[in-house]
Amino acid sequence: MSELGDRILLLIVAATGVSVLIAGWAGGLVEAEAGGWTELALFGFLGFLVFVLLVGLWRGFGEIG
C-alpha cells in the first residue's frame, strides 16, 4: 500500500474517533443545555474543532514518514 493510502486509512480511523468524541459526546451536551443562537454557535465551534483536529492529524501523519 502507498504512503498516501496509509495516511488516508489512518485519517479515517482518527476521524471516526474524534467525531464520536467531540461531535457525539460534546454535541449531546450542547443539545441538552443550549438553545437558539447559542446552540448554533456551539455546534459551529464543535464542527470547526473537528476540522482543525483532522487537519492537524493529517499533517502529523505526514511527518511520521
Side-chain angles (χ1 to χ4, degrees):
M1 190 174 261
S2 69
E3 180 182 342
L4 179 61
D6 291 342
R7 285 176 66 188
I8 290 174
L9 287 176
L10 284 170
L11 187 65
I12 289 171
V13 171
T16 303
V18 167
S19 297
V20 166
L21 178 66
I22 292 177
W25 178 73
L29 293 176
V30 167
E31 183 71 32
E33 297 295 326
W37 287 104
T38 306
E39 181 180 8
L40 290 175
L42 289 171
F43 277 134
F45 175 73
L46 289 174
F48 177 73
L49 186 61
V50 168
F51 177 74
V52 167
L53 285 172
L54 292 179
V55 168
L57 287 169
W58 179 262
R59 299 188 81 165
F61 290 147
E63 293 176 6
I64 291 172

